[in-house]
Amino acid sequence: MLAKVNSCALVGLDGTPVDVEVDMARGMPSISVVGLPSAAVKESKDRVRAAIKNSGLRFPGQGRLTINLAPADLKKEGPAYDLPIALGVLAATGQIPTDELDNALILGELSLDGSLRHVRGVLSATHMAAELGYDRIYVPAVDAAEASLIPDIDIYPIDHLITLVEHLLGLDAIPTFDRVDIPSDERLAGYQADFADVKGQEHVKRALEIAAAGGHNVHMVGPPGAGKTLLARAVPGILPDMVLEEALEVTRIYSVADMLPEDVPLIRQRPFRAPHHTISHAGLVGGGTVPRPGEISLAHRGVLFLDELPEFGKNLETLRQPLEDRQVTISRASGTMCFPSNFMLIGASNPCPCGFYGDPVKACTCSSAMVTRYRQRISGPMLDRIDIHVEVPRVDFDKLTDDRRGEPSESVRKRVQAARDRQAERFARMDGSGRRLLNNADMGAREITSIAKLDSEGEKLIRSAMQQMNLSARAYHRVLKLSRTIADLDGSAEIRPQHLAEALQYRARG
């Protein structure tokens, strides 16, 4: 007898339909799994056999059992096929009705006792099921809250194989899962640092406020202990809260990467990722035999902080394309996958190997050649993609011991939110081109031409700066975007010369 169960494979961040076909035929006792299964999928036959027997059901002891995962040219990996395979076996042996499986999608890893374990990518699978018109999906109970973020499909939480079998036989119906209440846009607590905790460095805070208002990249240069890391960790606290669309994007990435916290079905806080400089290429941009999201995708809609920026070496060059396209493309022999990577890059570095070049207190011990080699670890094209370059000097003793707290992140965030609101209103008035812009850093050349116009005095200033600072065409456009953000923070409809002058000072690199 032949039975078919609907399941799903993950290709990048998207779900792809997979038909789990189970055929029971006469012949010598054997079990074969075909359809490009990975080792974890091949082992599912042993988990399924134990789970069925330990649930008090009958596993066929005679005949040839063939399990096909179609389409056959798509690599299948992971244990999520356990439950659909088990149901296929039960349907092929006449223990459950087949018509109950026709318009349902099924996912789940089985324990040997028949209980269900968590699987990754449930959000993507549920999204695919809703788009293809499935009316229900059966998932492990621990993943039901995540699946319920997708509307227009019934979610059935399963904690044990026998529970699902009784439901399909009409003996004990499983109630659908009540959808989780999506939190309001109230301010969320729990960010790692507050601007009020940072002593001094007012000009750096100003630069980071501008960066947050427009989504711009930042490079901080200063001696050890100046507060670069603390400043970077405070940036998520001044970013606006994610809207629901952004939260779903981030949650989907973390679900596919299997990094979604068990008690957090929807990620509402901006991500902050700070990988060590020894990270591999695949760990940073994504990859692997079956490509997974890397740190730049895990930082999507948030902050990617690279401390000791020159130490990242050649890995830095792999960020050039994602910084321009806001996504990373990973090509393999089996196909090409794209992961979103729209993040704020914040880099921190010392001015020299010893860290004290130009320091007024401690003398630098590096030769000029050592300083030059150290700085050349970050290529010119990479630095050209960073909008704001700011020095972070040593903090004076008087400022360190001052008991007065600085301006809190909440106050800064309100100004950032007001600037982002102006940008959103402006982008909404533009003719649609298929691109949804969220901040000034997302603008392309066409949007810059219509939005970041300069008056005659501003044109004279930028012309002089292009000649004196040897700015590239990319740097020219980035200066205009940065000027537009500064004007938004100032509440100005036009870019004035003082806005452009401030933007230009952030392009200077010592």
Side-chain angles (χ1 to χ4, degrees):
M1 182 177 177
L2 176 65
K4 189 183 82 168
V5 180
N6 304 308
S7 192
C8 173
L10 293 175
V11 180
L13 295 185
D14 300 320
T16 299
V18 170
D19 294 334
V20 179
E21 300 172 330
V22 179
D23 178 64
M24 190 68 205
R26 293 182 179 180
M28 294 292 292
S30 65
I31 304 175
S32 60
V33 182
V34 297
L36 284 184
S38 66
V41 179
K42 289 180 180 179
E43 293 170 350
S44 65
K45 60 186 179 183
D46 299 314
R47 293 192 296 271
V48 167
R49 179 194 288 112
I52 289 178
K53 288 185 176 180
N54 291 329
S55 299
L57 301 167
R58 177 173 57 86
F59 189 87
Q62 300 293 326
R64 186 172 66 251
L65 190 63
T66 304
I67 301 166
N68 179 43
L69 306 177
D73 60 345
L74 178 66
K75 180 75 174 178
K76 319 299 186 312
E77 61 100 21
Y81 301 103
D82 288 1
L83 184 58
I85 289 174
L87 294 181
V89 171
L90 295 175
T93 54
Q95 298 181 67
I96 58 173
T98 57
D99 56 344
E100 293 294 327
L101 306 175
D102 290 341
N103 205 33
L105 193 78
I106 298 168
L107 295 170
E109 177 187 351
L110 284 169
S111 298
L112 298 186
D113 62 355
S115 59
L116 271 294
R117 295 179 181 270
H118 154 79
V119 293
R120 69 183 183 92
V122 168
L123 188 61
S124 294
T126 310
H127 182 265
M128 182 211 75
E131 283 193 332
L132 296 181
Y134 289 96
D135 56 23
R136 60 194 184 280
I137 180 171
Y138 297 96
V139 298
V142 294
D143 298 320
E146 178 186 341
S148 70
L149 296 173
I150 304 299
D152 304 324
I153 187 170
D154 291 332
I155 312 298
Y156 286 88
I158 311 301
D159 55 7
H160 199 282
L161 175 62
I162 193 62
T163 305
L164 179 54
V165 170
E166 291 174 349
H167 170 81
L168 296 175
L169 292 173
L171 300 177
D172 190 5
I174 300 173
T176 58
F177 186 82
D178 293 332
R179 300 192 179 278
V180 297
D181 294 330
I182 296 177
S184 65
D185 289 337
E186 296 178 0
R187 189 66 182 149
L188 300 170
Y191 288 108
Q192 300 183 37
D194 193 290
F195 265 22
D197 300 326
V198 182
K199 302 294 185 180
Q201 311 293 15
E202 300 304 327
H203 70 291
V204 185
K205 294 179 186 178
R206 167 65 177 173
L208 293 176
E209 179 181 342
I210 295 170
H216 303 285
N217 303 319
V218 183
H219 180 208
M220 297 184 291
V221 181
K228 301 186 294 294
T229 300
L230 180 61
L231 284 160
R233 292 187 181 278
V235 170
I238 66 172
L239 291 172
D241 291 329
M242 289 191 292
V243 298
L244 179 59
E245 180 182 351
E246 293 177 297
L248 287 172
E249 288 178 3
V250 174
T251 302
R252 194 171 173 186
I253 294 170
Y254 277 72
S255 174
V256 168
D258 204 13
M259 296 177 63
L260 192 65
E262 185 175 339
D263 57 342
V264 181
L266 181 67
I267 294 178
R268 296 307 305 270
Q269 288 189 341
R270 299 271 179 185
F272 180 86
R273 306 294 300 179
H276 192 260
H277 60 78
T278 56
I279 189 172
S280 66
H281 172 274
L284 185 62
V285 302
T289 306
V290 178
R292 298 282 185 91
E295 288 291 335
I296 64 174
S297 294
L298 294 172
H300 183 62
R301 302 298 182 192
V303 174
L304 177 68
F305 176 51
L306 301 183
D307 199 6
E308 304 298 339
L309 195 64
E311 302 298 334
F312 281 83
K314 293 183 179 180
N315 277 340
L316 278 181
E317 301 307 305
T318 63
L319 297 183
R320 286 159 60 172
Q321 179 256 340
L323 285 173
E324 290 290 327
D325 299 340
R326 304 292 179 175
Q327 67 176 14
V328 59
T329 303
I330 300 174
S331 298
R332 294 289 183 269
S334 58
T336 300
M337 299 179 189
C338 292
F339 294 107
S341 57
N342 192 346
F343 56 89
M344 269 183 64
L345 173 65
I346 299 181
S349 63
N350 297 324
C352 66
C354 78
F356 297 101
Y357 180 82
D359 189 88
V361 177
K362 190 169 182 178
C364 174
T365 59
C366 305
S367 66
S368 58
M370 292 171 62
V371 174
T372 301
R373 283 196 300 270
Y374 180 77
R375 294 185 177 184
Q376 287 177 343
R377 293 183 186 179
I378 310 175
S379 68
M382 184 64 197
L383 289 173
D384 209 31
R385 287 167 167 80
I386 298 178
D387 304 335
I388 297 176
H389 299 266
V390 60
E391 291 188 8
V392 186
R394 178 191 298 271
V395 183
D396 295 335
F397 176 79
D398 292 339
K399 291 182 179 179
L400 283 175
T401 56
D402 192 343
D403 292 335
R404 292 174 297 179
R405 286 173 60 84
E407 185 180 24
S409 293
E410 181 63 24
S411 299
V412 180
R413 188 189 71 86
K414 290 178 180 178
R415 295 196 295 269
V416 170
Q417 182 67 67
R420 289 281 185 111
D421 291 341
R422 295 186 186 98
Q423 295 166 40
E425 182 181 352
R426 186 164 54 239
F427 295 143
R429 293 196 301 264
M430 297 179 60
D431 293 333
S433 61
R435 297 178 64 221
R436 181 162 184 265
L437 306 179
L438 294 177
N439 51 53
N440 287 335
D442 291 341
M443 290 193 296
R446 194 191 73 166
E447 292 85 12
I448 294 172
T449 302
S450 60
I451 290 176
K453 294 181 179 179
L454 300 176
D455 57 18
S456 58
E457 188 176 350
E459 289 181 354
K460 291 179 182 178
L461 179 58
I462 191 67
R463 181 188 298 273
S464 175
M466 288 283 290
Q467 294 174 350
Q468 296 182 23
M469 301 173 66
N470 295 321
L471 299 181
S472 66
R474 178 187 293 111
Y476 168 75
H477 286 123
R478 288 185 176 273
V479 166
L480 292 181
K481 289 192 284 187
L482 193 58
S483 302
R484 181 65 266 174
T485 299
I486 296 171
D488 289 335
L489 278 171
D490 198 26
S492 174
E494 305 294 334
I495 299 177
R496 305 191 184 281
Q498 62 267 29
H499 304 143
L500 179 59
E502 185 176 1
L504 285 168
Q505 77 172 3
Y506 292 125
R507 294 298 306 183
R509 302 195 291 267

